[in-house]
C-alpha cells in the first residue's frame, strides 16, 4: 500500500510539473520548459516502474506464498516462480521443506509422560514434518504464521507422545519400535484439526520421520 501512495505522489508531482511546463510561453524560457517536460515524463516512468515492481513477487524454491489484503486471504497458493499480485496485497511466506524438531543446536526437550500404570516417565523424541503447499492458505487463515505453525506442531508432538506412552506398561520399554510407531501415528493424527469456527477438518502438517531417542 505504501508503494501505491508513493507512486501516486510521483504522478501528482508529474502532473504539476507538466502544468508548469505548459505555462511557460516566452521564447527565452523554452529550455526550462523542455527540462520540465522531461522531468514530468521521468516521474511518470518512475511511477509506472514502481507499480510494476510491486505487482511481481518471486517465490523461491522450497517456499509457498499466501496472498492477503483487506482482511481477505486468497485461496490460491503462490508456488515457486515469478507471480503477479495486486500492488495492495501482502504476501506471507512459508517453508515447504522438511522441518526438524528439535532444531539443530537446540537442547532436546524431555517430554513428561505417564505409563499405563500412571508412572511418570521422561521421553525424548525427534521428528521431521512438512506442510502441504496447497493447504498454505487454509493453514495461514486458521493457524497463522510460521512460528504459530511450529507451536501447533509442538503441541501435537507432546500430545502424541503422551497419548502413545500411556498405552504401554513400564515393562514394555523394550518394545521401542512399536512404541515409536504408536507415538508417530498419534502425533500425525493430532496434526489434523478442526478450528472452532472452521468449515471442516484440515491437516496442519504431515510427519515424515519419527525417532524415539530415549525412554
Amino acid at each position: 500500500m505504501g508503494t501505491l501512495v508513493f507512486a501516486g505522489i510521483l504522478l501528482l508531482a508529474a502532473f504539476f510539473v507538466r502544468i508548469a511546463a505548459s505555462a511557460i510561453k516566452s521564447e527565452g524560457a523554452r529550455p526550462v520548459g523542455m527540462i520540465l517536460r522531461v522531468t514530468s515524463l521521468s516521474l511518470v516512468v518512475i511511477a509506472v516502474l514502481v507499480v510494476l515492481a510491486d505487482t511481481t513477487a518471486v517465490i523461491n524454491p522450497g517456499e509457498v506464498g499466501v496472498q492477503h489484503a483487506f482482511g481477505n486471504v486468497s485461496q490460491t497458493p503462490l508456488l515457486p516462480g515469478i507471480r503477479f499480485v495486486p500492488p495492495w496485497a501482502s504476501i506471507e511466506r512459508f517453508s515447504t521443506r522438511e522441518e526438524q524438531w528439535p532444531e539443530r543446536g537446540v537442547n532436546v526437550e524431555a517430554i513428561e509422560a505417564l505409563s499405563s500404570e500412571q508412572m511418570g516417565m521422561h521421553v525424548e523424541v525427534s521428528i521431521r514434518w512438512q506442510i502441504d503447499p496447497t493447504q498454505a492458505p487454509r493453514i495461514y487463515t486458521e493457524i497463522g504464521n510460521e512460528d504459530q505453525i511450529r507451536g501447533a506442531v509442538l503441541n501435537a508432538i507432546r500430545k502424541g507422545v503422551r497419548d502413545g506412552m500411556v498405552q504401554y506398561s513400564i515393562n514394555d520399554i523394550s518394545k521401542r519400535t512399536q512404541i515409536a510407531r504408536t507415538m508417530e501415528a498419534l502425533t500425525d493424527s493430532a496434526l489434523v484439526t478442526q478450528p472452532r469456527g472452521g468449515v471442516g477438518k484440515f491437516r496442519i502438517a504431515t510427519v515424515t520421520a519419527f525417532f524415539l531417542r530415549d525412554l
Side-chain angles (χ1 to χ4, degrees):
M1 186 62 71
T3 305
L4 280 181
V5 173
F6 179 61
I9 292 172
L10 288 177
L11 290 174
L12 190 62
F15 174 73
F16 285 116
V17 170
R18 183 68 179 180
I19 290 177
S22 301
I24 296 175
K25 302 295 185 182
S26 63
E27 190 73 23
R30 277 190 175 182
V32 176
M34 181 62 68
I35 292 173
L36 290 176
R37 288 186 180 89
V38 171
T39 301
S40 174
L41 180 60
S42 299
L43 290 172
V44 171
V45 171
I46 292 172
V48 171
L49 291 176
V50 166
V51 172
L52 287 177
D54 205 45
T55 58
T56 58
V58 177
I59 308 299
N60 297 317
E63 282 186 344
V64 63
V66 177
Q67 174 186 317
H68 59 96
F70 308 118
N72 294 316
V73 177
S74 171
Q75 295 306 305
T76 303
L78 301 175
L79 301 178
I82 298 176
R83 304 298 169 193
F84 294 95
V85 297
W88 54 82
S90 299
I91 297 176
E92 193 77 23
R93 298 170 186 266
F94 298 92
S95 172
T96 57
R97 294 188 172 98
E98 269 194 343
E99 301 279 340
Q100 179 173 311
W101 183 88
E103 297 178 9
R104 184 173 297 178
V106 177
N107 292 332
V108 177
E109 176 183 336
I111 300 174
E112 301 286 342
L114 296 174
S115 68
S116 60
E117 301 94 348
Q118 300 299 296
M119 292 184 63
M121 302 185 67
H122 297 283
V123 184
E124 293 183 5
V125 302
S126 62
I127 183 176
R128 291 179 185 166
W129 55 276
Q130 194 171 24
I131 69 167
D132 179 358
T134 62
Q135 289 292 313
R138 182 78 188 276
I139 294 171
Y140 175 68
T141 301
E142 304 290 357
I143 304 298
N145 59 29
E146 281 199 322
D147 289 337
Q148 291 167 309
I149 293 172
R150 291 190 182 98
V153 171
L154 179 54
N155 287 336
I157 294 170
R158 290 168 176 159
K159 184 178 188 305
V161 168
R162 288 167 179 155
D163 290 352
M165 193 66 249
V166 79
Q167 297 182 21
Y168 292 91
S169 164
I170 195 72
N171 298 318
D172 295 329
I173 289 180
S174 60
K175 302 177 181 178
R176 293 176 62 92
T177 301
Q178 183 178 340
I179 294 173
R181 286 175 180 168
T182 301
M183 290 179 177
E184 178 179 358
L186 291 171
T187 299
D188 197 58
S189 175
L191 288 169
V192 178
T193 184
Q194 182 171 5
R196 189 175 301 172
V199 295
K201 293 183 178 181
F202 75 100
R203 176 172 288 280
I204 301 171
T206 300
V207 175
T208 56
F210 188 97
F211 306 98
L212 179 57
R213 302 174 63 158
D214 193 20
L215 278 176

